[in-house]
Amino acid sequence: MTQFLDSNFKLGILGGGQLGKMLCKETNEWSINTHILDKSVSFPSGRNATAFVEGDYNNYDDVINFGKEMDVITIEIEHVNVDALEVLEKEGKTVHPRPSALRIIKDKGLQKNFYADHNLPTSDYELFESKADILNAVEDGRVTVPFVQKSRTAGYDGKGVFVVSSSAKLEQMMDCPSVVEDLVDIEKELAVIAVRNPKGEVNTFPIVEQEFHPTANLVEFLLAPAEIDILIEEKCKNLAVDIINKLDVCGLLAVELFLTTKGEVLINEVAPRPHNSGHHTIESCSSSQFEQHIRGILNMPLSQIVQNSPAVMVNLLGADGHTGEAIYPGFEECISQSNVYPHLYGKVMTKPFRKMGHITITDPDREKAKEKAKLVKNSIRVEAKQ
């Protein structure tokens, strides 16, 4: 019998945010007992999990005590206690992604070193321990403006990235261990999600392109499929397969890429979990990223992935200047339209640029989907109750 069909089987997820919520919706379809560890049952996953354990996924003891009761453990966020996961793996628990890969991925400096060590294409970079070290390197001529500074750890949802576009911005840099990268001339920002199971089967979703909010550094529009040359498409897919195999990741690996103005494909960064660049797959593909992640970590066959319809996804972000209990003016206008699929994450409090939901728009014509997405984006807001 398939392991997860046993009524005693327990799948544990570290993190109770929107990704955990959408994973639970898939596990509920197959009656998989799914347990969540996070700080509050009021978080998005709270009403969707079989059981919710209140605790801290960064706390060693909390992760150990949670994990020892689970049969398979996975994550919905990278910033978890890897030391505890390593111990659980040594004790025989199945952990996906493997802690060894997670340790690399959660540190952007180790990520970049991994790409360099394995001859994987990425932008030129250098590692620094502090803001002062970067300033000294600029003064010595080892680093030239413009460049991009990324905090090595804890960056998430657009945080931890600072573009030094001119010398006037040097003093605004973060003071933390950082990756300093060349500022690449980008034609398009692309993403591809790969999935792998322990049997070694690998599959990929169609490539998407992303347009970012200029202030929040978050995806504003996601367009699927990407409009790119077939040779570029194959290069992106092959890179994703190469990375997921070399990292030995099971489940999902989202690979964000730069297509440069010179036609090069460079790896930006990866995430070993469901990802914002795959939310559209719920409505527009034959199998969603969440279903494929579950298939991958439970060593099930990976079903064929077909894009049934072009799609555009819009992130619902908290309005600038609004902090407090969330309301959604324009929601009724939004749902009155056909082929428009809103997903509200259930976060009680909004704040500027916080991810509060997403909306997917499908249409046989991608450009028509994009036009409707612009109308949808202007029709709904996330504000704080007055």
Side-chain angles (χ1 to χ4, degrees):
M1 179 183 287
T2 302
Q3 183 188 20
F4 73 84
L5 295 178
D6 187 327
S7 60
N8 294 318
F9 175 83
K10 294 179 181 178
L11 170 63
I13 301 175
L14 301 183
Q18 63 264 22
L19 300 179
K21 174 183 178 179
M22 288 182 273
L23 281 169
C24 285
K25 290 182 73 174
E26 291 294 341
T27 59
N28 287 340
E29 289 295 319
W30 289 348
S31 296
I32 300 171
N33 291 320
T34 307
H35 297 237
I36 299 284
L37 174 69
D38 211 334
K39 290 181 180 178
S40 173
V41 72
S42 67
F43 290 177
S45 298
R47 288 178 288 179
N48 296 271
T50 307
F52 195 103
V53 177
E54 292 192 335
D56 185 350
Y57 50 65
N58 272 306
N59 180 278
Y60 178 89
D61 290 333
D62 286 354
V63 174
I64 289 287
N65 292 332
F66 175 78
K68 68 184 181 182
E69 302 296 328
M70 302 297 125
D71 295 290
V72 174
I73 303 157
T74 191
I75 63 168
E76 64 120 45
I77 185 169
E78 296 95 309
H79 308 301
V80 300
N81 193 299
V82 179
D83 293 337
L85 291 178
E86 286 176 335
V87 170
L88 289 166
E89 186 180 53
K90 287 176 183 176
E91 291 179 350
K93 295 295 182 182
T94 300
V95 181
H96 293 305
R98 295 188 62 189
S100 56
L102 186 54
R103 192 174 289 282
I104 293 169
I105 292 168
K106 69 183 292 189
D107 182 329
K108 289 184 173 66
L110 296 181
Q111 256 197 72
K112 295 289 277 192
N113 287 343
F114 180 87
Y115 305 146
D117 292 343
H118 290 83
N119 296 313
L120 295 165
T122 191
S123 58
D124 291 339
Y125 71 99
E126 194 170 343
L127 305 182
F128 294 93
E129 286 301 309
S130 67
K131 176 180 175 179
D133 289 343
I134 302 173
L135 290 171
N136 288 336
V138 172
E139 187 173 343
D140 294 344
R142 288 186 291 120
V143 171
T144 56
V145 176
F147 61 83
V148 179
Q149 180 197 20
K150 294 181 178 179
S151 61
R152 288 186 59 168
T153 59
Y156 190 68
D157 275 355
K159 301 176 180 66
V161 178
F162 183 66
V163 178
V164 180
S165 55
S166 67
S167 297
K169 294 206 169 187
L170 286 169
E171 287 302 325
Q172 299 173 38
M173 288 189 300
M174 300 170 284
D175 191 7
C176 61
S178 302
V179 179
V180 168
E181 299 180 347
D182 286 353
L183 185 62
V184 178
D185 290 327
I186 300 170
E187 181 179 331
K188 291 186 177 185
E189 296 203 33
L190 307 173
V192 55
I193 293 177
V195 59
R196 180 171 177 266
N197 64 22
K199 288 180 284 195
E201 297 173 349
V202 182
N203 210 343
T204 59
F205 283 86
I207 318 296
V208 302
E209 58 185 280
Q210 305 173 91
E211 297 180 3
F212 284 78
H213 190 285
T215 304
N217 195 32
L218 290 166
V219 173
E220 190 163 31
F221 292 106
L222 179 139
L223 298 91
E227 287 191 338
I228 51 176
D229 183 86
I230 190 168
L231 295 178
I232 297 295
E233 180 181 352
E234 287 304 308
K235 187 179 290 188
C236 293
K237 288 185 175 181
N238 290 339
L239 264 179
V241 171
D242 198 14
I243 298 168
I244 200 169
N245 282 325
K246 286 177 175 173
L247 281 169
D248 193 18
V249 164
C250 291
L252 294 183
L253 185 73
V255 182
E256 294 187 284
L257 303 160
F258 296 140
L259 175 60
T260 73
T261 53
K262 296 179 180 179
E264 301 171 298
V265 176
L266 302 177
I267 303 160
N268 179 19
E269 55 190 56
V270 300
R273 52 167 173 79
H275 193 258
N276 193 248
S277 63
H279 289 346
H280 68 288
T281 61
I282 298 171
E283 284 85 21
S284 71
C285 290
S286 56
S287 177
S288 76
Q289 65 164 338
F290 303 97
E291 179 186 330
Q292 289 298 310
H293 185 68
I294 298 303
R295 286 175 178 263
I297 64 174
L298 298 185
N299 205 16
M300 290 189 283
L302 306 178
S303 61
Q304 184 181 15
I305 299 169
V306 176
Q307 181 134 6
N308 294 326
S309 171
V312 177
M313 189 207 72
V314 180
N315 276 322
L316 276 179
L317 306 178
D320 197 8
H322 285 259
T323 299
E325 189 175 346
I327 57 173
Y328 299 86
F331 183 76
E332 290 186 6
E333 181 181 347
C334 177
I335 63 172
S336 69
Q337 303 179 66
S338 61
N339 300 320
V340 173
Y341 306 96
H343 296 257
L344 303 184
Y345 298 152
K347 298 175 182 178
V348 175
M349 304 299 287
T350 184
K351 57 185 177 181
F353 306 118
R354 187 183 192 192
K355 281 184 187 173
M356 302 296 290
H358 73 267
I359 303 172
T360 299
I361 298 93
T362 62
D363 193 282
D365 184 323
R366 198 189 80 152
E367 288 308 308
K368 288 182 180 178
K370 187 174 181 180
E371 288 305 311
K372 184 179 282 189
K374 291 177 180 177
L375 294 174
V376 166
K377 183 177 180 296
N378 292 328
S379 71
I380 183 171
R381 284 171 55 84
V382 186
E383 299 179 350
K385 186 185 294 185
Q386 299 299 314

